[in-house]
Amino acid sequence: MTNEHVLDRALGAYLGFACGDALGATVEFMTPKQIHKHYGVHQDIIGGGWLNLEAGQVTDDTQMSLALGQAIIDHQDWNIQAVADNFVTWLESNPPDIGNTCRRGIIRYRDSGELFGLPREDDAGNGACMRNLPVVLATLNRPDLFRIWSLQQSHITHNNPLSDAATLTLGLIVKHLITLGDSDACQQESDALINQYNQFSYTPYLGKASAYIVDTVQTVLHYFFNTDSFESCLIATVNQGGDADTTGALAGMLAGAKYGVQQIPERWLNQLDAAIVVNILRQTTALIKTTHI
Ligand code: MN
Ligand code: MN
């Protein structure tokens, strides 16, 4: 695969991620029934929701990813302190939302300098998994670094085996899509995760889409593997409700990497916060370059 294809799929992943965040945020914490009653099928980036967002505004999912990506770009290498410092700066910027586990971990680092907490059963939210795309992009041909960096950034806030397994698996799936365009390899990664922790099994799909990493991954994989376009994947995912901005973002990341940036509907890209789009274009190019150091 040429470098041009890699960039096209990497851009698809990062812009697809932000589209899913902005699209899903409108219906975050709603049930499918409530969504249906309010919106019929929710399919446009219109803002609102419990955060009362502007149309096109993104939330913590995209903002934390950008904070992580910027730390890698600024140092042209891995600097876990810089990652944690960027999370602190972000926390103190009065963001629209922040998960409890993320808040607890970032405050612990800010107040004590500790870069990770002890393993906890209640750290099994999706907050570490949701922000890992920049690590994938910066380590496309370095599986050893991918693993170390992913786990280090995760453990700033989430130290839990289910969170770790999901973060690594979704990261590997995106990597296969970007570098090989290979769906068989994706299915193998998904099967390996389910063999290790069978609670991730999404067949039959039970329709839970909460921020618990198991529910999040089931939803994302179910809709990714059972739809055939970027648009249908995202619409199906966010209309499941629950943690819809995060499931939407992660589904958008996978579908964007699979179908490429051209398949992202123009009406979504045009609505997305223009400053965020510029930042994502710049970061994607810079992170891919880091890969080839
Ligand atoms: Mn969010
Ligand atoms: Mn969310």
Side-chain angles (χ1 to χ4, degrees):
M1 188 169 286
T2 64
N3 285 344
E4 203 179 308
H5 279 113
V6 168
L7 185 61
D8 172 79
R9 288 164 188 271
L11 279 174
Y14 215 154
L15 287 171
F17 182 90
C19 279
D21 184 3
L23 180 71
T26 305
V27 294
E28 189 180 22
F29 301 133
M30 293 173 76
T31 65
K33 261 191 191 158
Q34 290 169 330
I35 296 169
H36 185 72
K37 205 170 150 199
H38 266 79
Y39 301 102
V41 177
H42 173 56
Q43 54 186 334
D44 288 301
I45 295 179
I46 55 173
W50 73 281
L51 294 169
N52 200 19
L53 299 169
E54 306 270 327
Q57 214 182 330
V58 294
T59 73
D60 53 348
D61 311 69
T62 305
Q63 291 176 338
M64 291 196 86
S65 300
L66 289 168
L68 170 57
Q70 198 55 48
I72 299 173
I73 293 164
D74 288 344
H75 292 267
Q76 285 298 299
D77 200 353
W78 187 242
N79 182 324
I80 185 66
Q81 237 125 13
V83 173
D85 287 339
N86 280 9
F87 289 166
V88 172
T89 305
W90 169 74
L91 174 81
E92 292 177 345
S93 73
N94 196 21
D97 64 335
I98 175 167
N100 290 331
T101 311
C102 285
R103 181 194 304 278
R104 187 179 65 212
I106 296 168
I107 288 177
R108 183 195 55 241
Y109 168 73
R110 184 187 67 186
D111 295 349
S112 74
E114 292 277 346
L115 283 159
F116 55 90
L118 294 172
R120 288 174 65 133
E121 279 207 11
D122 62 352
D123 278 2
N126 58 22
C129 180
M130 78 182 186
R131 62 177 183 243
N132 201 45
L133 178 59
V135 168
V136 178
L137 298 180
T139 59
L140 287 175
N141 49 18
R142 291 298 305 268
D144 50 340
L145 298 183
F146 161 72
R147 198 184 156 80
I148 296 165
W149 298 7
S150 296
L151 295 179
Q152 282 191 355
Q153 78 79 8
S154 293
H155 292 176
I156 296 172
T157 55
H158 294 66
N159 193 351
N160 176 280
L162 294 173
S163 164
D164 289 351
T167 301
L168 294 174
T169 298
L170 290 193
L172 288 170
I173 291 177
V174 190
K175 189 201 82 159
H176 293 318
L177 291 168
I178 292 174
T179 56
L180 307 168
D182 183 351
S183 291
D184 286 349
C186 300
Q187 195 68 62
Q188 283 166 21
E189 296 295 350
S190 159
D191 292 349
L193 173 69
I194 293 164
N195 279 338
Q196 194 185 1
Y197 295 107
N198 66 15
Q199 56 266 59
F200 284 105
S201 174
Y202 54 89
T203 318
Y205 177 60
L206 299 176
K208 293 192 213 161
S210 80
Y212 176 43
I213 189 64
V214 170
D215 292 350
T216 299
V217 168
Q218 284 181 359
T219 299
V220 170
L221 293 180
H222 168 72
Y223 285 118
F224 174 66
F225 285 120
N226 289 289
T227 50
D228 59 5
S229 71
F230 179 86
E231 185 174 7
S232 63
C233 176
L234 260 69
I235 290 174
T237 303
V238 301
N239 281 275
Q240 195 62 51
D243 194 6
D245 61 327
T246 307
T247 57
L250 290 170
M253 170 181 87
L254 298 186
K258 177 169 180 179
Y259 301 109
V261 71
Q262 286 83 4
Q263 260 223 28
I264 301 180
E266 263 181 52
R267 72 179 196 282
W268 289 351
L269 274 184
N270 290 340
Q271 193 62 255
L272 204 55
D273 182 336
I276 294 288
V277 173
V278 169
N279 214 352
I280 287 176
L281 294 175
R282 190 184 51 76
Q283 278 207 5
T284 304
T285 314
L287 290 166
I288 294 277
K289 275 196 193 135
T290 310
T291 278
H292 298 295
I293 284 174

